[in-house]
Amino acid sequence: MGTVEASAPLVAVRVISAAGATASPSPAITVTSAAPGRILVQRPSTQLKKHFTFNLAAEPSLSTAHIWPAFSARVKQAATLGESVLILASGAPASGKSRTIRGDENAQGFGALAIADMLQASQTAAQEAGHQASLTVSAVICVICAGGRERLLDALLPAETVQSNQGLTVRDHADGLPHASPTFVEALTSAQVSTAAEAEQLVQQAVAATQREEASAATVRAHLLLQCAVRTVS
């Protein structure tokens, strides 16, 4: 995967609608700088060509606690209106992209912060309407192996669980019903979250699983994808 050119290490972050983020992580995708705060994503094999602009370019000295308020309201709105959003961090090598999303021992990352905000906003809106809201979290590790082969793993399974060498399977919905996404990962674990502390625990479990894969000699790169779903019932 290419890198975004920058004169100094930056982490550019944008919350975008799912409609503008149909590409899956793949070695065949190239990412290049188009202009300050703007990147071009291309996949020649499918003639994919999309431009993304970013809401914020953050200097390395800023913590996630300083940056997250710029996106919190948009994520809460999505949780209450039933919209889909994607949180994406992009930047130069070693600029802190993974730490921004995953967090570290000093600060929560955008993953846990987003889940906590979605939980709080959906529960408040549901209570005001006399309904109940629940939030489930799933986590997929996209492992890119030598030779470019991709393997999807469930990041919420216990560490001692041996997963298939072929990984999880991505399938299309075949029931004819409307879905938030036309595809899904078969047999993926989902965990219900009731508190912000539970959200942080799940994210750290998924991060630890990703780090184990990154440490493997067979892994070229590993990406963690966190997915949250809000359900409201009368």
Side-chain angles (χ1 to χ4, degrees), residues 43-205:
R43 191 202 311 234
S45 62
T46 59
Q47 296 185 330
L48 170 77
K49 187 174 182 180
K50 289 184 177 291
H51 284 89
F52 297 98
T53 55
F54 292 85
N55 304 88
L56 176 69
E59 296 293 342
S61 59
L62 294 180
S63 69
T64 52
H66 289 94
I67 302 171
W68 179 247
F71 308 99
S72 177
R74 179 67 184 89
V75 169
K76 289 180 178 180
Q77 180 187 48
T80 57
L81 297 181
E83 299 175 343
S84 296
V85 295
L86 171 71
I87 300 175
L88 170 71
S90 180
S95 58
K97 300 181 294 295
S98 295
R99 184 175 296 179
T100 298
I101 300 298
R102 301 178 187 178
D104 57 21
E105 64 277 4
N106 298 316
Q108 286 184 304
F110 277 18
L113 291 169
I115 296 171
D117 274 359
M118 291 177 67
L119 180 65
Q120 184 269 328
S122 60
Q123 288 180 337
T124 299
Q127 289 173 0
E128 292 175 350
H131 301 154
Q132 291 184 326
S134 64
L135 189 146
T136 57
V137 177
S138 57
V140 178
I141 307 171
C142 179
V143 180
I144 302 177
C145 307
R149 184 176 70 88
E150 295 181 1
R151 178 174 173 238
L152 298 181
L153 303 178
D154 192 330
L156 297 185
L157 290 179
E160 63 274 11
T161 303
V162 178
Q163 302 196 47
S164 166
N165 286 332
Q166 300 303 315
L168 300 172
T169 302
V170 178
R171 296 193 182 280
D172 294 326
H173 289 288
D175 54 17
L177 299 175
H179 294 276
S181 172
T183 60
F184 68 99
V185 180
E186 191 174 44
L188 183 63
T189 301
S190 293
Q192 187 163 323
V193 174
S194 301
T195 66
E198 291 178 355
E200 174 66 17
Q201 183 178 9
L202 278 178
V203 171
Q204 291 310 312
Q205 179 182 343

